[in-house]
Amino acid sequence: MEQENKASFTHTVTSEEDGLMLHQVLRRQYRFSRRFMTRMKLNRLVTVNGEFIYFTARVKAGDQIVIRMQTEETDHIPPQPVDFTVVYEDEDLIVIDKPPGLVVHPTRGYSDGTLANGLMQYWSERGEKHRMRPVTRLDRDTSGLLVVGKHAYAHAFLAEQMAEKRYERVYLACTHHRFASDRGTIDKAIYIDSEQKISRTVSESGEGYPAVTHYEVVERMAAATLVRLSLETGRTHQIRLHLASIGHPIIGDDVYGTGGDQDLIARQALHATYLKLFHPRRKEWMAWESPLPADMQQLVERLRQSDSRS
């Protein structure tokens, strides 16, 4: 049976906010955009002590403000059973551990069988209605953690964090060749060639979008390195491009790699292993980890065994 979207936010006016206009308190507490404020006003989503008041009306210390998240129609994405793991979920967001080979959102080349289709099925079975609002995205063949906002405010709040670089995202990659240094930073802009629909290019001249990746060696093998990577920016294909640009393409990367890795792993050996964000409701940091998936564990073990035989 379908249930109404019950997500709401409650705030008790403090002594410091006594005498402020309602819209000022909403902005201070939740940083709602002007557009979102207009939507709340038109749809009468905000009450003070159980009553609707003008957004320019003054509030008093102790007043209780309740903001309801508007019930919405789902995207026109057909629900389908799709395999993925839910790491965490509440009324505001859902954190998913995505398996490799799964596209996040339907595209021209992948019209169904995506994570979005699976989420529509998952939520419909629980009587919930949400739009597909991914805050972070992963390539089809990159596995690991990503977060989806369950309503417009949660998505806007988390997207703003991302723009302000308050997120922490850490990846593990298995690359060709041994890294010489234990840690370092790759600061190279990424250029989008209008003639290339999929691949990007690292711009040695600085032309393009700024991109910064930090790396730290986890384990060296004879002809490969397991490396931990953190991002300051989130450009498309950033890690894959940056590692290839310094002579360490990711094993299995058929776009920026060396090719011929099919006997080692069926996809690029890249995994989003750690995610930390500031929760829009709890107003506290939350973090999740995902261990190295089976195919990457097997790859590392094969590389270790190769070392022991040489």
Side-chain angles (χ1 to χ4, degrees):
M1 181 177 178
E2 271 189 6
Q3 298 176 347
E4 183 182 356
N5 180 3
K6 298 183 183 300
S8 64
F9 291 79
T10 302
H11 172 68
T12 301
V13 177
T14 66
S15 57
E16 293 179 351
E17 296 166 337
D18 185 71
L20 292 179
M21 288 182 279
L22 174 58
H23 73 84
Q24 292 175 313
V25 176
L26 294 175
R27 284 254 173 81
R28 282 174 53 140
Q29 284 297 321
Y30 301 103
R31 300 175 70 177
F32 290 132
S33 67
R34 189 179 302 276
R35 187 181 200 180
F36 201 82
M37 295 275 277
T38 300
R39 188 187 308 168
M40 290 192 299
K41 188 189 306 182
L42 291 174
N43 290 283
R44 295 168 67 86
L45 300 178
V46 182
T47 60
V48 177
N49 301 325
E51 298 181 357
F52 298 106
I53 67 173
Y54 290 111
F55 274 36
T56 51
R58 305 280 176 176
V59 294
K60 303 188 300 295
D63 284 348
Q64 188 172 68
I65 301 171
V66 176
I67 306 110
R68 292 185 300 111
M69 291 297 108
Q70 189 174 16
T71 303
E72 57 189 6
E73 292 300 315
T74 58
D75 293 304
H76 297 295
I77 299 173
Q80 295 174 327
V82 172
D83 183 36
F84 60 88
T85 300
V86 176
V87 176
Y88 173 84
E89 184 179 17
D90 59 25
E91 62 265 58
D92 303 310
L93 57 89
I94 181 169
V95 179
I96 291 160
D97 197 341
K98 185 185 83 66
L102 181 60
V103 174
V104 171
H105 203 279
T107 63
R108 184 176 298 175
Y110 298 91
S111 58
D112 59 10
T114 69
L115 175 61
N117 296 107
L119 270 174
M120 294 301 117
Q121 175 83 13
Y122 173 84
W123 282 326
S124 68
E125 290 173 355
R126 287 155 180 76
E128 298 181 32
K129 283 186 176 183
H130 305 289
R131 297 179 71 85
M132 179 61 177
R133 290 188 168 98
V135 181
T136 55
R137 295 175 184 265
L138 296 175
D139 294 338
R140 180 192 66 187
D141 289 331
T142 299
S143 55
L145 299 172
L146 61 81
V147 60
V148 175
K150 292 180 67 174
H151 51 75
Y153 171 62
H155 180 267
F157 181 94
L158 295 169
E160 183 179 20
Q161 271 194 51
M162 193 174 188
E164 293 177 353
K165 303 175 184 176
R166 297 186 71 199
Y167 266 109
E168 286 187 37
R169 289 175 294 162
V170 179
Y171 295 75
L172 289 169
C174 199
T175 74
H176 284 283
H177 315 306
R178 288 171 60 91
F179 271 70
S181 56
D182 290 340
R183 59 184 54 84
T185 297
I186 308 168
D187 185 353
K188 296 182 178 182
I190 292 175
Y191 174 75
I192 302 175
D193 189 338
S194 59
E195 295 183 1
Q196 293 285 342
K197 294 183 179 180
I198 299 176
S199 62
R200 269 75 171 160
T201 305
V202 165
S203 173
E204 301 293 346
S205 66
E207 180 186 6
Y209 297 96
V212 179
T213 304
H214 304 287
Y215 66 85
E216 181 179 1
V217 170
V218 176
E219 180 180 354
R220 287 184 179 89
M221 289 147 278
T225 305
L226 181 63
V227 61
R228 185 184 305 273
L229 305 119
S230 59
L231 303 179
E232 282 192 24
T233 53
R235 310 299 178 197
T236 301
H237 297 179
Q238 177 175 322
I239 291 175
R240 298 164 63 189
L241 272 164
H242 272 176
L243 289 173
S245 76
I246 61 170
H248 294 281
I250 296 174
I251 295 174
D253 191 336
D254 59 1
V255 176
Y256 306 106
T258 58
D261 296 333
Q262 291 79 10
D263 59 330
L264 294 174
I265 192 169
R267 51 101 175 194
Q268 69 243 12
L270 179 62
H271 179 69
T273 187
Y274 178 81
L275 173 65
K276 183 178 179 181
L277 55 80
F278 195 71
H279 196 281
R281 180 185 303 271
R282 296 186 176 195
K283 296 296 189 288
E284 64 183 22
W285 289 99
M286 298 185 70
W288 302 271
E289 290 190 61
S290 170
L292 208 61
D295 61 345
M296 285 184 65
Q297 290 180 21
Q298 291 166 6
L299 171 63
V300 171
E301 187 57 36
R302 287 186 66 183
L303 293 167
R304 288 172 181 158
Q305 290 174 0
S306 178
D307 284 0
S308 65
R309 290 195 297 267
S310 60

